[in-house]
Amino acid sequence: MKAHQFRFTAIAIVCSFAFACSAQAETDQVTLARQFGIGYLPLAVMQNKGLVKKHLEAEGLKDTKVSWMRFGTGSAANDALLSGQLNFAAGGTGPAIILWDRTRSSVDVRGVAALSSMPNMLVTADPRIKTIQDLTNKDRIAMAGAGSSVQTVYLQMAVSKIWGIKNYKKLNPLMVNLPHPEGLRAVLSGSGEIRSTFTSPPFQYMALDHPGVKVVLNSYDVMGGPNTFLMVWATDKFRTANPKTYKAVLGALKEATAWINDNKHAAAQLYVEDVGDKSDVQAIEKMIRDPQIQYKIAPDRILPYAQFMHKVGSIKHDPKSWKDLFFPEIHDLAGS
């Protein structure tokens, strides 16, 4: 073999080996998280329709295994993400922003995309309570992830407007940490000390279907309009090491979101089948069609929410733009 032919062959072998190593560098398993409620519908669509696998195969990762975990709170998802059990967490904006703040100099957690903008409501079965000013030390509010959840911050923002920002934790002692379904059951049972719950769709609407249950506070009133309720987040460490896997998950989320917006009746059917309960498809479809409920990957009003958290000391870093909180892949969208 001539010298130039040998060099060409050697280079080809090295390039082939480098390409193979690059292909093998991607993880052989990706794990995603879900929680409860119709706000997580895009993830339910991704799971039930196998969209992550579809997009992985399109990226040449046909052997990558996809697994799902279910959590009751965003803080639990955070623990799993940091321990390496989970690659993509999902939950309220509060837990995501807290982890963004705490991991800036380590694994660098940021948002992948928003999931949904929808109102969260503090509802009560107590006829005495008409506004949060009627709440006393004897009252209790069921809330998933009490103390760190998105509903916690909504309530603190509302409290600050009435009693001043120094008193933003005034109602924290009333919070009882319960997953949304359990909080709903506690309120509707009529027995026990929990007569109110700060929850999300569909649970708030289920509560309001019962006589005597009314809205005390709507998060959209607190935020001045629609704002992102749920989002997906990950570590930059995983994103950098697995660019194709990351792209596949984001692509699957985009496809699921578009499918829901184009197929709302079918999406309602999928939700009812997915949760395996006796929810009425028409009732769920009515919620999905509510103009206040939007499935979109661009965040709404997440910056003022995060800046409030900084103002009260819940986070150390003060974001200057919503883009500080999310990875660049969605920076071309009209977020806020």
Side-chain angles (χ1 to χ4, degrees):
M1 180 181 292
K2 295 181 179 179
H4 74 278
Q5 290 177 315
F6 177 81
R7 286 195 300 271
F8 179 81
T9 302
I11 291 170
I13 292 172
V14 170
C15 289
S16 298
F17 179 77
F19 178 80
C21 289
S22 175
Q24 292 173 359
E26 296 268 345
T27 182
D28 60 0
Q29 177 171 326
V30 58
T31 306
L32 303 94
R34 290 175 52 191
Q35 290 190 52
F36 303 97
I38 65 171
Y40 296 95
L41 184 55
L43 299 177
V45 172
M46 289 165 64
Q47 183 176 6
N48 284 270
K49 289 187 168 293
L51 296 185
V52 177
K53 189 68 176 175
K54 170 186 171 182
H55 283 262
L56 284 168
E57 290 177 355
E59 293 297 322
L61 302 174
K62 61 182 180 66
D63 295 324
T64 303
K65 182 181 177 182
V66 180
S67 59
W68 291 84
M69 301 176 74
R70 188 74 70 100
F71 295 94
T73 66
S75 57
N78 278 347
D79 291 341
L81 187 73
L82 293 177
S83 69
Q85 295 175 283
L86 185 64
N87 305 125
F88 291 87
T93 51
I97 293 169
I98 287 171
L99 205 58
W100 165 81
D101 180 63
R102 294 177 180 174
T103 62
R104 297 285 297 277
S105 59
S106 56
V107 293
D108 191 10
V109 170
R110 279 182 270 174
V112 175
L115 279 176
S116 53
S117 293
M118 52 184 60
N120 282 225
M121 298 178 187
L122 171 55
V123 298
T124 187
D126 190 332
R128 177 182 53 83
I129 301 172
K130 296 178 176 60
T131 73
I132 62 172
Q133 290 169 282
D134 298 320
L135 292 163
T136 71
N137 291 335
K138 294 181 180 180
D139 295 306
R140 294 293 178 265
I141 305 168
M143 193 182 302
S148 64
S149 66
V150 61
Q151 293 86 9
T152 297
V153 179
Y154 289 145
L155 187 56
Q156 291 173 345
M157 293 177 80
V159 166
S160 298
K161 291 180 180 180
I162 297 172
W163 290 288
I165 198 160
K166 290 183 179 180
N167 297 305
Y168 78 101
K169 283 188 174 182
K170 179 180 175 66
L171 299 182
N172 276 37
L174 311 188
M175 301 175 186
V176 178
N177 189 13
L178 286 175
H180 296 299
E182 292 182 28
L184 174 65
R185 284 194 291 271
V187 170
L188 298 181
S189 71
S191 61
E193 61 180 3
I194 298 175
R195 304 297 307 282
S196 306
T197 181
F198 204 156
T199 187
S200 61
F203 307 106
Q204 62 200 25
Y205 297 118
M206 292 176 178
L208 292 170
D209 282 340
H210 289 74
V213 178
K214 61 181 180 296
V215 178
V216 177
L217 185 69
N218 185 318
S219 64
Y220 278 13
D221 294 333
V222 176
M223 297 302 301
N227 85 291
T228 296
F229 163 43
L230 302 173
M231 58 184 281
V232 176
W233 59 97
T235 67
D236 188 51
K237 179 180 179 181
F238 180 86
R239 170 179 166 269
T240 302
N242 303 280
K244 292 183 179 181
T245 305
Y246 184 92
K247 181 181 178 182
V249 171
L250 181 57
L253 178 56
K254 289 178 179 178
E255 182 175 347
T257 303
W259 183 84
I260 292 168
N261 289 318
D262 291 339
N263 302 275
K264 293 181 177 178
H265 178 72
Q269 288 181 311
L270 184 147
Y271 175 82
V272 171
E273 292 171 3
D274 177 73
V275 297
D277 65 12
K278 298 180 180 178
S279 299
D280 182 73
V281 172
Q282 289 184 331
I284 297 298
E285 183 178 354
K286 182 180 178 180
M287 295 178 203
I288 294 174
R289 292 187 181 278
D290 184 338
Q292 291 193 91
I293 293 179
Q294 302 172 9
Y295 293 98
K296 53 188 297 188
I297 64 172
D300 284 327
R301 289 179 172 84
I302 198 168
L303 181 60
Y305 181 94
Q307 289 175 332
F308 171 83
M309 294 179 69
H310 173 261
K311 194 171 184 179
V312 299
S314 297
I315 59 175
K316 294 180 180 178
H317 300 90
D318 187 15
K320 304 304 179 186
S321 164
W322 70 267
K323 294 178 181 179
D324 294 342
L325 303 166
F326 287 82
F327 289 120
E329 283 79 359
I330 66 163
H331 285 186
D332 61 324
L333 302 179
S336 60

